[in-house]
Amino acid sequence: MIPKIIQGGNFSDHRGTISYVNDFDFKGIERFYIISNSDENPIRGWQGHKLDSKNFYCLNGSFKIHFIKIDNWENPSQDLVIETVMVSESDSKIVHVPAGYANAIESLETNSKLISFSTLPLVNVKEDDVRYPSDYWSLNG
């Protein structure tokens, strides 16, 4: 499976706005959490998942979602290609990052909030979660 964008939309009228992603399937979702990076540390990463798939949706502000397909969990190549998708509160879409990838979440504005829907039950996370130093892959270039 490869990462993909599940595009939604927005509807506005005199009552306000509704944002939606009708094509997102909640089957298999076990839990969710909301990410708010600090202004001092706007990048959270790198975190890999052998079994867990992540689905990211921007609630407020904007983010860059960076992800890399891991070639070797114990000693991944530092030359792997970083893919990046930008999400914002005005662009209603979900970024699906399947198992087998590491990701880094970069907030672009103060008070940005990102919701993450995960497919792995919490009791299995410790065996699945692989963390790499934040500078293991450079986001500057």
Side-chain angles (χ1 to χ4, degrees):
M1 185 174 263
I2 60 171
K4 65 180 177 179
I5 305 295
I6 306 166
Q7 190 64 53
N10 299 299
F11 172 79
S12 297
D13 65 13
H14 67 281
R15 299 169 291 176
T17 301
I18 294 174
S19 298
Y20 56 87
V21 184
N22 290 340
D23 292 330
F24 180 64
D25 185 355
F26 280 89
K27 183 179 179 185
I29 300 298
E30 291 284 334
R31 57 197 169 84
F32 77 91
Y33 50 93
I34 297 173
I35 299 166
S36 298
N37 292 343
S38 68
D39 288 339
E40 297 78 27
N41 296 293
I43 299 175
R44 179 183 303 260
W46 289 91
Q47 186 171 352
H49 302 281
K50 298 175 185 177
L51 305 171
D52 194 5
S53 293
K54 300 292 184 182
N55 298 279
F56 299 107
Y57 181 84
C58 183
L59 296 170
N60 193 56
S62 59
F63 289 86
K64 286 183 180 177
I65 312 294
H66 307 282
F67 47 92
I68 294 175
K69 175 75 171 146
I70 298 298
D71 60 347
N72 178 319
W73 289 101
E74 289 74 37
N75 187 26
S77 170
Q78 290 188 291
D79 296 327
L80 298 175
V81 176
I82 299 172
E83 298 180 67
T84 301
V85 175
M86 188 163 163
V87 296
S88 71
E89 64 184 285
S90 63
D91 183 21
S92 188
K93 66 184 173 191
I94 289 177
V95 178
H96 171 77
V97 180
Y101 283 77
N103 65 69
I105 308 302
E106 180 179 2
S107 53
L108 303 175
E109 302 173 47
T110 299
N111 297 322
S112 292
K113 291 183 190 250
L114 188 74
I115 190 166
S116 174
F117 300 101
S118 296
T119 60
L120 196 66
L122 191 57
V123 297
N124 301 108
V125 168
K126 191 178 283 187
E127 296 82 35
D128 179 61
D129 194 34
V130 180
R131 294 180 188 243
Y132 302 101
S134 60
D135 61 350
Y136 196 83
W137 295 282
S138 174
L139 293 174
N140 298 324

